[in-house]
Amino acid sequence: MKAWKILLGSAAVVCVGAAIASYSLRAGPVAAAAGPSGPPAMPVPVTAVIKRTIPVYLEYSARTESIREVSLQAKVAGYIQSQPTVDGADVKGDELLYKIDDRDYRATLDQAKAQAQRNVAALGYARSNFNRGDELVKTGFLAKDNYDQRASTLGQSEASVAMDNAGVRSAEINLAYTEIRAPFSGRLGRNRAPVGTLVGGSGFTLNTLVQLDPLYVTFNPSERDIGVIQTARLASKVATKVSLPDDASADYSGELTFVDNGVDRTTGTITARATVPNPKFTLLPGQYVRVRLHVRDEPDALMVPQVALGSSQLGKYVYVVGEGNKAEQKIVTLGPTDGDAVSVKGLVETDRVITGNLQKIGPGSPVSPIGQKEASASDVK
């Protein structure tokens, strides 16, 4: 009985071994054909290169300056009688700002007018007396010496009247100085002469007045930019945009109006200035701003999104979809930017630029382009 069991077990082992050998012979060619597979293609977003004309700008840090700023002082001495405008008020040209007690100056004017009237009357008598002497001297009834005295009296009377008229004008001017008016439209500062303060003749400043519209925006281009700016000025007016550092949406349009005549030897910069309208008085003198000059337009620029740029020891580069859908690295030279796009040299217009998953690919990596957009100029912006 045991011998039968041993015999049957041996036969089963032989059958299983034969079956395995037969399967191995049939599957051998298939197993040999299967080899190690490569890395899968990385899905990457791509975009087309855009060719268009772009504006070229130069941008600088700048400060605003008032075109006119004056210290208000009293020309004549007296007590401040009133201040019709409040501190910090926006005033118009010739608006009354301060009133000085004018009683002394009115009295002086009245005295000068009375003196002039008296001398005018004396002049009338002297002229009549001279005219009578003119007829008498011709007939010999008046001596030549008496005639000359009458002529002298007439000349002195005329001079006295001229002097009196000048005195009246001087008194009128001094009276007008008792009213301190705005020489131009602008904004007042802090009052330093309350009502009752004695002012005049000592250089005492009552207040300050600054012009707010328009404003100067002063900046300092480097000497390497001078040629570009001067070329742009010769071609046409150089438009400027002024923006606030903390609010790029608030911009002000202006024009480059001044470039200094020398370069600062210590800094290698030159002083330039733009004039910017400020009708709402939202800019104030001394404010820190950014100024951008439109110096030219660059035609046929090849534009790519800035997010597609990478950096290496060789410089800036982009990945494009190469032959066989493999990533190809191209070194590029950057040009002017326009919004989120930058102009580059080193590409052709037919390139498909990879804009995402840049950290997960390298030169020669298989890629699977997705979401390619035939972008227009507005899309690149």
Side-chain angles (χ1 to χ4, degrees):
M1 188 65 179
K2 290 181 179 181
W4 274 106
K5 290 181 178 180
I6 293 172
L7 182 60
L8 290 174
S10 300
V13 170
V14 171
C15 291
V16 172
I20 292 174
S22 174
Y23 177 79
S24 298
L25 290 174
R26 291 196 304 271
V30 177
S37 60
M42 173 63 64
V44 290
V46 297
T47 187
V49 177
I50 302 301
K51 178 190 287 188
R52 61 187 174 89
T53 299
I54 62 169
V56 178
Y57 298 101
L58 296 176
E59 189 169 350
Y60 305 97
S61 299
R63 288 278 184 183
T64 56
E65 292 182 4
S66 177
I67 293 180
R68 290 185 288 182
E69 179 176 353
V70 296
S71 297
L72 299 174
Q73 298 180 356
K75 176 72 172 180
V76 295
Y79 292 96
I80 296 295
Q81 189 177 65
S82 64
Q83 181 190 354
T85 52
V86 298
D87 295 3
D90 295 324
V91 299
K92 300 295 184 180
D94 202 42
E95 186 172 341
L96 182 61
L97 307 180
Y98 288 92
K99 185 72 172 68
I100 297 175
D101 185 4
D102 62 357
R103 290 173 295 181
D104 292 343
Y105 300 98
R106 288 192 179 277
T108 302
L109 176 59
D110 292 340
Q111 183 179 1
K113 288 181 177 180
Q115 179 75 20
Q117 290 175 354
R118 186 184 68 178
N119 288 331
V120 166
L123 174 61
Y125 174 77
R127 182 174 289 115
S128 299
N129 197 27
F130 173 77
N131 291 337
R132 286 191 300 270
D134 190 39
E135 295 296 329
L136 293 174
V137 75
K138 292 178 181 179
T139 59
F141 288 99
L142 182 67
K144 185 67 171 63
D145 182 64
N146 290 338
Y147 176 77
D148 291 341
Q149 288 181 357
R150 293 186 183 191
S152 175
T153 301
L154 175 60
Q156 292 178 25
S157 296
E158 290 176 341
S160 296
V161 170
M163 186 180 300
D164 291 339
N165 290 335
V168 170
R169 289 197 299 270
S170 178
E172 290 174 342
I173 292 173
N174 287 334
L175 179 61
Y177 282 145
T178 62
E179 292 184 349
I180 300 176
R181 296 181 175 273
F184 51 83
S185 298
R187 178 171 293 177
L188 278 177
R190 179 176 58 87
N191 176 40
R192 303 174 188 174
V195 173
T197 303
L198 178 62
V199 297
S202 60
F204 179 77
T205 298
L206 285 66
N207 208 323
T208 57
L209 178 68
V210 296
Q211 179 179 332
L212 297 182
D213 180 33
L215 282 178
Y216 284 147
V217 176
T218 302
F219 54 99
N220 299 98
S222 64
E223 55 185 338
R224 67 174 179 272
D225 293 340
I226 296 175
V228 177
I229 294 175
Q230 295 289 28
T231 301
R233 292 187 74 193
L234 292 175
S236 64
K237 295 181 179 180
V238 179
T240 62
K241 288 283 187 179
V242 176
S243 60
L244 301 176
D246 55 349
D247 187 7
S249 62
D251 58 2
Y252 306 82
S253 299
E255 178 187 338
L256 181 67
T257 53
F258 170 76
V259 177
D260 209 350
N261 58 3
V263 177
D264 190 328
R265 297 182 180 179
T266 59
T267 62
T269 61
I270 191 171
T271 300
R273 192 169 62 201
T275 303
V276 178
N278 184 36
K280 297 183 179 179
F281 299 164
T282 49
L283 291 176
L284 296 177
Q287 201 166 351
Y288 171 74
V289 295
R290 299 287 298 177
V291 61
R292 189 174 66 169
L293 279 64
H294 180 203
V295 293
R296 71 175 189 276
D297 290 324
E298 183 172 323
D300 299 329
L302 298 182
M303 308 296 295
V304 299
Q306 296 191 47
V307 295
L309 295 175
S311 298
S312 68
Q313 293 180 347
L314 299 177
K316 296 291 184 180
Y317 65 86
V318 296
Y319 282 115
V320 300
V321 179
E323 185 178 355
N325 278 356
K326 291 186 178 181
E328 180 181 346
Q329 187 184 73
K330 288 191 174 183
I331 302 298
V332 295
T333 302
L334 303 185
T337 62
D338 186 22
D340 295 330
V342 59
S343 64
V344 296
K345 293 181 180 179
L347 298 180
V348 295
E349 195 173 355
T350 57
D351 281 335
R352 294 182 295 167
V353 178
I354 299 174
T355 60
N357 288 334
L358 301 180
Q359 304 299 326
K360 300 178 181 180
I361 60 176
S365 299
V367 294
S368 176
I370 58 174
Q372 180 176 0
K373 181 169 68 169
E374 297 300 329
S376 63
S378 59
D379 295 327
V380 178
K381 287 182 179 181

